[in-house]
Amino acid sequence: MACAARGWLFLLPKLLVVHLAVATPLVAAPAGDGAARLDGFDGYVQELVEEWGVPGLALAVVHDGEVLFERGYGVRELGRDEEVDERTLFAIGSTTKAMTAAAVGMLVDEGKVGWEDPVTRHLPWLELRDPSATRGLRVRDLLTHDSGLPNTDFLWYEQDSSTEEIVRRLAQVELQAPPRARFVYQNVMYAAAGLLVEAASGEPWSRFVESRILRPLGMDGSTATLRAAGREANRATPHDVVEGELRAIENASVDNVAAAGSVWSSASDMSKWSAFLLRGGVGADGRRLLSEATFGELFRPQVIVDADGFYPTARLTRPNWTTYSLGWFQADYQGRRVDFHTGSIDGMVAIHGLVRAEGLGVIVLANLDHAEVRHALMYHVLDLFSPASEPGAPASRDWSTELRTLYAELQREAETARERRVQQRVGGTRPSLSLASYAGRYRDPLHGEVEVTESSGGGLRLRWGRRVATLEHWHYDTFRAPWDARWRGEERATFVLGASGEVERLELGSAAFRRVASQR
């Protein structure tokens, strides 16, 4: 697309969203009645942990500057006796993004960074495929998921590339929309924000977050990366349902895009982070870590999120508006503004919700892949603290049942789509060539390198980064590639032959890799 046709879009203000997310309750829940509102809550959480089959879960509720509830449930790992407590570390995933936004905000307060600075002022080597997009990319755009890039998680997930290499590869990615035109969730832009923090502060993002956020807030058990968390004894193990069986799985590292989601924390420590945010950027010692103006900017709506970019829970909560600020999703619920974010990485989930006008914060951490009990618990707490409800009154909705029904429906939709793919398989076909003819190295500047080898048993093995699969013939020259780590799913691998009858390229999912000539 021609640069001239798009350049003016960089100047569009975000006036459309500035005033959307201002709904606040007319009357907040009275101070001091929090304990009454949580009467029976402990037993309710225990019921949901069992109902959803979650091995371990930790939860905290903060209200009016006080931690009202903080407890762990279940075990850190199935088959072992160590129980989850309020200090057990979990991967908090993308709830890390709010910390990255706060870190950038601290540098704004120090005058080292400006929200409207061109990113190239701090990372002069960063390029997008469209030069006008590169020139117009501002610091805040790294945090709002509307850079125009599609999702590029393939650049980092189970890959060994460095953060800088991952970000540099964005120069080869075709933009799918003009900058600031639409919301598309983008982890690599947050990785770039981490590099910007390092460039502006002189210290790596992980060290900055630990020294400027975690330690000042007394979050002494938390770590900024999986590598550091691996040294901690009181740490949860991820779990997933693999071929019908719930079992412990390997951690997936987010350390190569750390600023997007690598922090490990506990319910106890996250309650301190939540309380800090509910105090408007002031620590428990009364020290302000973020100016009022910068703190307000973190929560100012930046971009409208359409239904495709928001959570499926909107089918139940029916918000009038959905936005994203700097590290936070936002929506109205019962006339109350809710700022929240989830975190999801193989076998681990988190959710952090705030109703800042009421001084209310909820944190849920669990060690089961996409355990949406997190949403059920958050909305249950929001209902308990609704200004319209009486202390001790039962919650008005059975969120657990409603959400289990919703996600069962989504699962059925996914299963139907899978069955359609199976029905497209052509039976009775054979590969065009001998299996040995498909072995070799395949490379793409954007997606990296794939290696296909012939196994000792005569089959084919495929390796892409840290993921490995045994290829199973599907039809013609297409093979099914179920990853050895079965919880990571599978791909379709299609070998494309050229005019010579030899393999020219490998199509793996939506990526295409050209065969590398062997060295003789």
Side-chain angles (χ1 to χ4, degrees), residues 290-311:
L290 287 162
S291 70
E292 290 186 26
T294 293
F295 184 83
E297 190 65 23
L298 295 180
F299 288 94
R300 184 173 71 85
Q302 304 284 326
V303 58
I304 293 173
V305 182
D306 62 21
D308 290 339
F310 205 71
Y311 296 93

Side-chain angles (χ1 to χ4, degrees), residues 14 17 20-21 94-98 101 140-146 183-187 190 260 297-306 309-311 321-331 337-342:
K14 294 181 177 177
V17 298
L20 283 177
S94 286
T95 62
T96 297
K97 288 180 170 65
R140 73 169 69 248
D141 297 329
L142 299 179
L143 308 172
T144 53
H145 305 291
D146 62 349
F183 177 96
V184 178
Y185 200 78
Q186 235 301 327
N187 283 305
Y190 266 82
E297 190 65 23
L298 295 180
F299 288 94
R300 184 173 71 85
Q302 304 284 326
V303 58
I304 293 173
V305 182
D306 62 21
F310 205 71
Y311 296 93
W321 51 264
T322 52
T323 56
Y324 197 87
S325 60
L326 302 179
W328 296 91
F329 284 94
Q330 303 168 304
R337 168 177 164 162
V338 182
D339 302 291
F340 71 107
H341 213 295
T342 58

Side-chain angles (χ1 to χ4, degrees), residues 185-223:
Y185 200 78
Q186 235 301 327
N187 283 305
V188 178
M189 283 282 95
Y190 266 82
L195 293 176
L196 183 142
V197 168
E198 180 174 358
S201 70
E203 59 181 340
W205 171 89
S206 58
R207 191 182 307 158
F208 187 95
V209 167
E210 288 177 350
S211 64
R212 299 289 297 275
I213 296 176
L214 302 184
R215 301 304 165 249
L217 296 182
M219 301 172 67
D220 297 330
S222 301
T223 69

Side-chain angles (χ1 to χ4, degrees), residues 29-75:
D33 69 356
R37 290 177 180 273
L38 291 176
D39 184 38
F41 182 62
D42 179 47
Y44 177 78
V45 177
Q46 184 63 60
E47 287 178 13
L48 262 61
V49 168
E50 296 173 2
E51 182 179 320
W52 287 76
V54 179
L57 180 146
L59 183 145
V61 178
V62 180
H63 187 237
D64 285 338
E66 179 184 358
V67 179
L68 294 182
F69 191 90
E70 200 174 82
R71 190 183 161 182
Y73 300 82
V75 294

